[in-house]
Amino acid sequence: MAKGSQKRIAGQNEKAVKNLRLGMIVPTILSIVLRLIFRRSSLPPSKGALAIYILTYLPALFLSRYLENIGTSRRDPTTGTLISSGEDLNQSGVTEWCFDILYVTWGCQIGSGAFGEWVWYLYLVIPLYAFLKLWTSFISPMVLGRSSAPPSEETTEKETLSKRQEKLRKRGERGDPRVRASRK
């Protein structure tokens, strides 16, 4: 029998997978409809616009299939009981980044249909963010080195004191009789 948390994760994953499947269809349809409404002169799209669309759709398709595979729950075919809830699609890290890439792709698809091909420049947010993460996590510490300045006394004292110890210290500074009685 599955535990409550596995059932909760399985339910959340089923909703997320359903939204992923809709998310791969709806932005394409919206892009075409918005192009028909606002930018009829851009029909049919240029070869460059189609190339950009295909080049960004393929990674989005790969990522959505990946998320569907890891998030799909497995059930016993005869009894319908939950065997595995799949990976939690609400976890942070790589899963979260996959969703971010999908959201940026879908936004650029819809935006290019409504406003023009310049919206695809917003797709550059993805490699810029990846470079920022690489820089702050790996490159900068290796190239520039760690900070060699010793921490000040004040910061080390605050780090070592718990909240309770900090309260007692402040009470003692004020002359609270409860603190004096406890120290005797």
Side-chain angles (χ1 to χ4, degrees):
M1 183 161 153
K3 296 179 182 173
S5 64
Q6 288 181 337
K7 288 181 181 179
R8 180 185 51 81
I9 290 171
Q12 290 174 347
N13 285 354
E14 287 170 1
K15 289 178 187 176
V17 167
K18 181 181 174 184
N19 289 337
L20 278 172
R21 290 179 180 152
L22 282 173
M24 292 305 292
I25 297 168
V26 171
T28 303
I29 293 170
L30 273 175
S31 176
I32 293 169
V33 168
L34 290 173
R35 196 175 289 269
L36 283 170
I37 293 172
F38 296 119
R39 302 183 46 237
R40 189 175 291 261
S41 62
S42 68
L43 286 173
S46 66
K47 290 179 183 175
L50 282 175
I52 290 172
Y53 184 82
I54 291 170
L55 285 175
T56 57
Y57 189 81
L58 291 176
L61 181 65
F62 171 76
L63 290 175
S64 70
R65 295 290 180 228
Y66 167 73
L67 290 171
E68 285 178 27
N69 286 338
I70 67 168
T72 302
S73 58
R74 291 187 342 210
R75 298 187 182 271
D76 185 12
T78 57
T79 61
T81 58
L82 186 66
I83 296 172
S84 170
S85 62
E87 294 290 323
D88 186 7
L89 293 180
N90 288 330
Q91 65 185 340
S92 60
V94 175
T95 306
E96 184 179 35
W97 296 336
C98 290
F99 277 110
D100 291 344
I101 292 170
L102 287 172
Y103 297 149
V104 170
T105 303
W106 296 340
C108 288
Q109 287 174 355
I110 294 169
S112 70
F115 305 116
E117 307 311 324
W118 63 269
V119 175
W120 286 106
Y121 286 115
L122 296 177
Y123 205 73
L124 293 175
V125 165
I126 296 169
L128 290 175
Y129 181 75
F131 179 76
L132 176 73
K133 288 301 259 184
L134 278 173
W135 178 262
T136 57
S137 299
F138 301 110
I139 299 171
S140 174
M142 291 173 78
V143 173
L144 302 176
R146 301 267 182 216
S147 175
S148 60
S152 65
E153 273 184 42
E154 196 173 287
T155 58
T156 55
E157 181 182 329
K158 286 185 180 179
E159 289 174 3
T160 58
L161 293 179
S162 67
K163 288 182 180 181
R164 185 174 187 280
Q165 290 172 334
E166 187 68 27
K167 283 182 184 178
L168 288 173
R169 185 187 61 80
K170 286 181 181 179
R171 284 181 184 167
E173 289 174 357
R174 288 189 308 223
D176 193 332
R178 293 178 290 180
V179 176
R180 284 192 220 133
S182 65
R183 289 187 182 178
K184 289 182 182 177

